[in-house]
């Protein structure tokens, strides 16, 4: 079957066309128009500006995606769109386009949770056999993005229990806010990890220590706002050093390591408690090389039988391929009657800024 995926929950307009055959996905096209430059001026995403850009870009991107995939509208079997969570003005553009196409082209329509999309970004590159070998249940997903930090227990496909989440800032949000304090621009994650890589402990005159908030709390929740505040105090005390690359590298390294330590520690504790067979990493922060590596190493040491999957870097951050991937799983688990009902979803689907996984 051919799936058209649409994603506009934040500052990326993204369209994908996937072919699903015998539980194996082939990406026919995945196009993205990023608005990073526009929002960088404001230090974060401005919802109405994002919506305006989505409106400008979405139909040309759709045309491009169809052309690259060599697919005509008549060949599409299912349309999938991000329904939430996200910024309402931004979400409305994608869902309205999806509903219009569903109505005009007479195609079934599925609303997908953006977080579910991130989780299923892990399944894009796996063959049908790998999916069974590598992903075993109960599975634990660490979802770390600009808007969310959650530990999600999956007892089976499409079944979610949120066992922990951030009480304040998301991990990606902390990267973005700390980058702002250090004048590194938006988004912060890539800038901080690039500077952190330049840190040489043996040569550095700076020994910086930041807290690991809630690392040893008994639950699986997180808190990153105290860490950000600790960086704020550090910056206030050392303003003259903000142009010193060695200082910035030392701060970025310690900040990144603090976030990674907490995420790895909590994920391992949850894996132990819930007897997890697989750990999946997902969301924009899963593009972070240190997090990818250190979580993998810690899991291998803790229990080498646990399988560990990470999305391809290009599918870590927001994209529409992951939305199509999640939709293919939803579709394959539906009865014929449930599938028929999707034809009417253009009337029913509503955006929801705070949509929860369930
Ligand atoms: O999933 P995503 O693209 O959008 C949301 O759903 O929020 O995640 C974006 C977040 C941003 O906060 C960005 O700073 C962070 O992911 N990010 C990273 C890296 N690349 C992106 N954080 C740490 N290290 C990275 N390499
Ligand atoms: Zn996202």
């Amino acid at each position: 079957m051919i799936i058209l995926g649409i994603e506009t929950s934040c500052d990326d307009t993204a369209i994908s066309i996937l072919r699903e055959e015998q539980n194996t996905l082939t990406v026919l096209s995945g196009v993205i128009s990023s608005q990073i430059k526009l929002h960088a001026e404001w230090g974060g995403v401005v919802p109405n500006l994002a919506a305006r850009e989505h409106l400008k870009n979405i139909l040309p991107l759709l045309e491009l995606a169809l052309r690259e995939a060599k697919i005509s509208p008549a060949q599409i079997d299912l349309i999938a769109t991000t329904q939430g969570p996200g910024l309402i003005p931004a979400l409305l553009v994608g869902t309205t386009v999806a509903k219009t196409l569903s109505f005009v082209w007479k195609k079934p329509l599925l609303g997908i949770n953006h977080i579910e999309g991130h989780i299923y970004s892990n399944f894009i590159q796996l063959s049908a056999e790998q999916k069974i070998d590598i992903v075993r249940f109960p599975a634990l997903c660490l979802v770390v993005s600009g808007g969310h930090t959650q530990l999600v227990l999956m007892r089976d496909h499409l079944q979610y229990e949120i066992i922990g989440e951030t009480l304040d800032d998301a991990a990606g949000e902390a990267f973005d806010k700390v980058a702002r304090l250090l004048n590194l621009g938006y988004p912060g994650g890539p800038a901080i990890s690039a500077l952190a890589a330049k840190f040489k402990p043996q040569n550095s005159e700076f020994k910086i220590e930041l807290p690991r908030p809630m690392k040893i709390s008994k639950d699986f929740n997180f808190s990153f706002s105290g860490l950000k505040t600790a960086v704020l105090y550090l910056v206030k005390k050392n303003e003259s050093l903000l142009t010193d690359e060695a200082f910035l590298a030392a701060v970025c390294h310690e900040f990144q390591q603090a976030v990674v330590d907490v995420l790895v520690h909590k994920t391992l504790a949850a894996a132990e408690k819930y007897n997890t067979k697989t750990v999946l990493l997902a969301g924009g922060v899963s593009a972070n090389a240190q997090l990818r590596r250190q979580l993998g190493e810690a899991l291998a040491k803790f229990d080498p039988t646990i399988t560990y999957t990470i999305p391809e870097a290009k599918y870590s951050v927001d994209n529409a391929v992951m939305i199509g991937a999640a939709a293919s799983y939803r579709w394959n688990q539906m009865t014929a009657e449930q599938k028929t009902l999707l034809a009417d979803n253009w009337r029913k689907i509503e955006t929801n800024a705070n949509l929860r996984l369930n």
Side-chain angles (χ1 to χ4, degrees), residues 34-188:
S34 162
Q35 307 171 5
I36 280 179
K37 278 198 194 125
L38 175 78
H39 298 290
E41 277 179 46
W42 304 89
V45 181
V46 184
N48 284 340
L49 280 186
R52 194 187 71 188
E53 289 303 295
H54 287 315
L55 265 178
K56 213 174 357 180
N57 294 324
I58 194 162
L59 292 178
L61 272 182
L62 172 66
E63 197 186 21
L64 178 66
L66 288 166
R67 197 165 60 232
E68 275 188 9
K70 299 190 175 62
I71 289 290
S72 69
Q75 292 171 279
I76 291 170
D77 299 296
L78 174 67
I79 300 172
T81 186
T82 304
Q83 197 178 347
L87 307 168
I88 287 292
L91 285 165
L92 277 171
V93 178
T95 51
T96 305
V97 166
K99 287 160 118 175
T100 309
L101 295 177
S102 164
F103 174 71
V104 175
W105 291 348
K106 301 191 170 33
K107 306 286 181 186
L109 175 64
L110 255 178
I112 296 292
N113 183 308
H114 181 80
I115 303 294
E116 178 169 77
H118 274 304
I119 291 172
Y120 277 83
S121 66
N122 276 283
F123 295 74
I124 296 166
Q125 71 270 40
L126 303 182
S127 68
E129 298 77 38
Q130 284 173 321
K131 279 176 192 156
I132 295 162
D133 289 348
I134 299 178
V135 184
R136 293 169 293 141
F137 298 99
L140 180 69
C141 313
L142 173 63
V143 184
V144 270
S145 72
H148 292 81
T149 297
Q150 293 180 331
L151 272 168
V152 182
L153 183 68
M154 289 175 74
R155 297 193 197 278
D156 203 345
H157 275 294
L158 309 174
Q159 288 183 20
Y160 310 105
E161 184 190 336
I162 299 170
I163 58 167
E165 60 194 317
T166 183
L167 305 178
D168 41 59
D169 293 350
E173 192 180 355
F175 271 93
D176 295 336
K177 287 178 173 171
V178 165
R180 211 162 145 180
L181 293 174
L182 302 176
N183 300 323
L184 301 178
Y186 172 84

Side-chain angles (χ1 to χ4, degrees), residues 7 9-12 85 114-115 118 144-148 170-176 186-194 256 282-289 291 316-319 322:
E7 154 66 42
S9 67
C10 191
D11 60 345
D12 292 295
H114 181 80
I115 303 294
H118 274 304
V144 270
S145 72
H148 292 81
E173 192 180 355
F175 271 93
D176 295 336
Y186 172 84
I192 288 184
S193 64
Q256 174 175 268
V285 183
S286 74
N288 186 279
L291 176 61
S316 284
V317 287
D318 286 351
N319 66 88
M322 67 186 197

Side-chain angles (χ1 to χ4, degrees), residues 6 13 29 47 50 114 128 153 158 167 228 338:
I6 299 178
T13 320
S29 64
H114 181 80
L153 183 68
L158 309 174
L167 305 178
K228 169 198 68 194
Q338 285 171 325

